[in-house]
Amino acid sequence: RALLAKVENVKLGTAERVEAAGRLLEGMRTARRFSTLAQLAAQVGAVAGLNVDEPVAYGAFAAPLGLHRYDEALQAGEQYLKRFPTGPHFTAVEQQMNEVVSARKKRASRQKEYEADLAEKRAGCSGKKSLECDWAGCIAARWNSLVGKTMLENCSEFLRLRVGDTSPEAAEKLAAARFFVALSHVELGQWALAKPLLADVERSLVREWDEDIAKLRAVWPTD
């Protein structure tokens, strides 16, 4: 609030206000307050008479990227690269955009591999009803790194089929499926849907996913 007040205080020198704007936006980014960053980037950008186009443009890219709104981030990144070819964040923006595009291409290229893997498993389960057969769709998605809708749908189906299974054999698979569904929600930017699933995994007796959950929390939006 103090930094924003400086930015909007026309009685202060321009250099001081510009410096405050940069500190404000960078502070929100490093604190992972990505929703707040998006709002403040727009607010700071609307202040007349300040040369803050570059930090505002970077904030407009970093906010949706942190929230996993990838289409929006890619569009904002393209704008940044066009407007600021010598900007201080050019390399970072370009690298992060390439990572998003590369991950998408990898998953798209592995879709057929996943479908073949799943078809093989289901063929072996034809006419059978078992824990392993119910599990086949979820684990196939995991093996092929198809985080997102594919994993979400198949692992959610396993949870639907086995949510009432209290057998020891099912416990580890149920914890894994909850983690995979949560991971898919995170990838899709659906943070609120992921939280209760991760809490369920943490409450279970299965400790296999503790480290992975900690890694997720390390990049989790704080607002």
Side-chain angles (χ1 to χ4, degrees):
R1 287 195 295 269
L3 288 170
L4 182 59
K6 279 189 175 184
V7 173
E8 296 177 335
N9 187 350
V10 296
K11 295 181 180 179
L12 296 177
T14 300
E16 185 177 358
R17 295 169 68 197
V18 169
E19 189 267 344
R23 286 176 56 203
L24 173 63
L25 298 179
E26 181 62 13
M28 294 300 100
R29 187 187 70 81
T30 56
R32 305 199 308 276
R33 295 183 63 179
F34 298 121
S35 295
T36 307
L37 173 59
Q39 297 168 7
L40 288 174
Q43 189 172 347
V44 169
V47 176
L50 293 183
N51 183 18
V52 291
D53 290 352
E54 191 279 334
V56 165
Y58 182 55
F61 164 75
L65 181 69
L67 293 169
H68 293 184
R69 299 202 297 254
Y70 293 121
D71 289 337
E72 184 181 338
L74 289 174
Q75 292 176 3
E78 288 287 354
Q79 290 299 312
Y80 182 96
L81 297 181
K82 288 178 182 178
R83 294 179 62 195
F84 305 101
T86 60
H89 298 102
F90 184 94
T91 301
V93 171
E94 186 177 48
Q95 179 180 343
Q96 289 171 314
M97 289 177 65
N98 287 338
E99 289 173 358
V100 171
V101 172
S102 177
R104 285 184 165 184
K105 286 182 177 178
K106 179 182 177 181
R107 288 170 191 159
S109 70
R110 301 195 73 177
Q111 183 69 35
K112 289 185 178 180
E113 180 185 348
Y114 159 74
E115 290 171 356
D117 188 17
L118 181 57
E120 181 181 348
K121 286 180 171 59
R122 285 181 171 164
C125 286
S126 181
K128 300 177 183 177
K129 184 65 178 174
S130 68
L131 177 63
E132 292 300 328
C133 287
D134 290 345
W135 177 237
C138 183
I139 194 61
R142 176 63 174 179
W143 285 342
N144 289 282
S145 302
L146 291 168
V147 184
K149 291 183 179 179
T150 302
M151 186 183 290
L152 177 62
E153 291 170 0
N154 285 277
C155 294
S156 292
E157 175 64 8
F158 174 78
L159 290 175
R160 186 187 68 79
L161 292 170
R162 290 287 170 171
V163 68
D165 191 336
T166 58
S167 66
E169 295 80 10
E172 290 188 6
K173 291 180 173 58
L174 285 166
R178 289 188 175 99
F179 176 78
F180 297 161
V181 172
L183 186 64
S184 299
H185 281 310
V186 166
E187 177 68 12
L188 295 167
Q190 299 166 346
W191 307 92
L193 296 176
K195 286 182 179 180
L197 288 161
L198 294 179
D200 285 343
V201 177
E202 290 176 314
R203 282 193 295 267
S204 74
L205 298 178
V206 179
R207 302 272 62 86
E208 179 181 352
W209 303 104
D210 289 356
E211 185 176 344
D212 295 277
I213 291 173
K215 289 179 181 178
L216 279 182
R217 296 201 189 283
V219 298
W220 204 275
T222 57
D223 60 354

